[in-house]
Amino acid sequence: RCAFKIGGSDTPLVLKLPKQRYEEPEIEEYERSRMDSMTMERLTKSPYVVSLYGYCGVSQVTEYASGGSLYDLIERFRGKQNHPPLRLPPIDKLRIGIQIITAVADLHSFESDGITSVTHNDLDPEQYVFVDGVYKLNDFHYSYFLEKNQYTDKVCENPMRIHRRYLKYHAPEEGYRDAVDNEKADVYVAGSVMYYVLTSKWIFEGVNNEKGIRLQRLGKRSPFPLHIKNSTDPAD
């Protein structure tokens, strides 16, 4: 999609539109936009989710994120984007970690009965954007509306709808494309995002996706740098 900054300088907003083209959007695109907008609408009360102000078809109006994405921040940790490496104290990284996981907790718990009804299914650093000092979760196009078994009163497991290129960052069971616990898979990936923030490294960095998947299935995990493993700072 294309994003345009609209409104006044005091309270700018973002208008999201599909990329210009001549054909009608596919039905699946309408359905993804519907799920995205409905989820954001239910989560307006969360301070860790981007606020939605209106939607129609495949278009949205949301709050404006002036500080870029969490991916941009991690790249600055790594000395990319024409900047010297950015150093954040561990306590500040911990605060970001709390924002990451609290957004997921709010997504999983907005129903009054406490049973998760929606999962994100596409978590990564680019889905968190910086708004007024907080990294907020955004983009629910691949969110999954969960069904509850009327006999057991438990959420049904579902086959994951994910991108293969993301598999090495995701929960191991997703790689088999069987029915999985979507809620727990979201939590696992949120942990991967927190790993990026804490270590400034990507999961299985330097390893291609296929090998990363094989390592994951063998129970291997990305190592933590020694300066973190040996740290005496509680925030590490």
Side-chain angles (χ1 to χ4, degrees):
R1 291 190 294 182
C2 299
F4 302 91
K5 182 179 178 181
I6 61 174
S9 58
D10 293 336
T11 55
L13 301 173
V14 170
L15 172 63
K16 297 180 180 179
L17 299 170
K19 291 182 179 180
Q20 185 177 5
R21 58 189 178 189
Y22 298 102
E23 68 273 12
E24 179 76 10
E26 299 287 341
I27 294 298
E28 184 180 3
E29 189 172 348
Y30 279 110
E31 178 63 8
R32 286 178 181 174
S33 294
R34 182 184 71 86
M35 292 191 296
D36 182 23
S37 298
M38 288 180 62
T39 304
M40 292 180 73
E41 189 175 50
R42 295 296 300 272
L43 287 163
T44 299
K45 68 177 182 179
S46 172
Y48 301 103
V49 174
V50 170
S51 293
L52 173 74
Y53 297 110
Y55 62 94
C56 180
V58 293
S59 304
Q60 285 182 336
V61 176
T62 68
E63 65 181 329
Y64 177 69
S66 60
S69 70
L70 190 55
Y71 176 87
D72 297 327
L73 180 68
I74 295 167
E75 287 290 87
R76 289 198 61 191
F77 291 162
R78 296 162 61 86
K80 304 293 180 66
Q81 300 185 348
N82 299 319
H83 292 286
L86 176 66
R87 307 297 181 193
L88 275 187
I91 189 64
D92 290 335
K93 291 188 174 183
L94 178 60
R95 290 191 181 100
I96 295 172
I98 291 171
Q99 294 165 13
I100 291 168
I101 201 64
T102 303
V104 176
D106 288 348
L107 170 65
H108 289 174
S109 62
F110 64 70
E111 293 291 356
S112 58
D113 61 6
I115 296 177
T116 300
S117 61
V118 182
T119 53
H120 192 281
N121 291 344
D122 193 27
L123 290 171
D124 66 43
E126 292 179 325
Q127 311 294 25
Y128 288 88
V129 293
F130 194 68
V131 183
D132 297 332
V134 176
Y135 279 98
K136 297 188 177 186
L137 184 57
N138 184 43
D139 193 349
F140 298 86
H141 271 77
Y142 288 93
S143 61
Y144 204 103
F145 289 10
L146 304 179
E147 297 176 345
K148 185 169 67 173
N149 188 311
Q150 62 178 326
Y151 301 107
T152 65
D153 209 34
K154 294 182 179 180
V155 173
C156 301
E157 294 185 340
N158 296 276
M160 293 297 292
R161 299 180 303 168
I162 57 175
H163 306 289
R164 185 163 180 77
R165 66 189 179 93
Y166 291 151
L167 283 178
K168 73 172 184 175
Y169 317 137
H170 280 216
E173 61 268 29
E174 296 181 37
Y176 296 98
R177 298 187 179 273
D178 295 325
V180 301
D181 188 321
N182 304 62
E183 178 185 7
K184 291 183 174 63
D186 265 0
V187 173
Y188 184 100
V189 183
S192 295
V193 177
M194 294 170 70
Y195 174 91
Y196 303 148
V197 173
L198 182 61
T199 67
S200 306
K201 295 182 178 295
W202 306 119
I203 297 293
F204 296 120
E205 182 157 350
V207 173
N208 66 38
N209 195 60
E210 294 301 322
K211 185 175 180 180
I213 293 170
R214 290 197 297 271
L215 291 171
Q216 187 188 64
R217 290 177 176 177
L218 290 171
K220 306 295 183 180
R221 296 293 178 264
S222 288
F224 279 85
L226 288 177
H227 74 272
I228 293 177
K229 292 179 67 174
N230 298 331
S231 174
T232 58
D233 190 325
D236 276 330

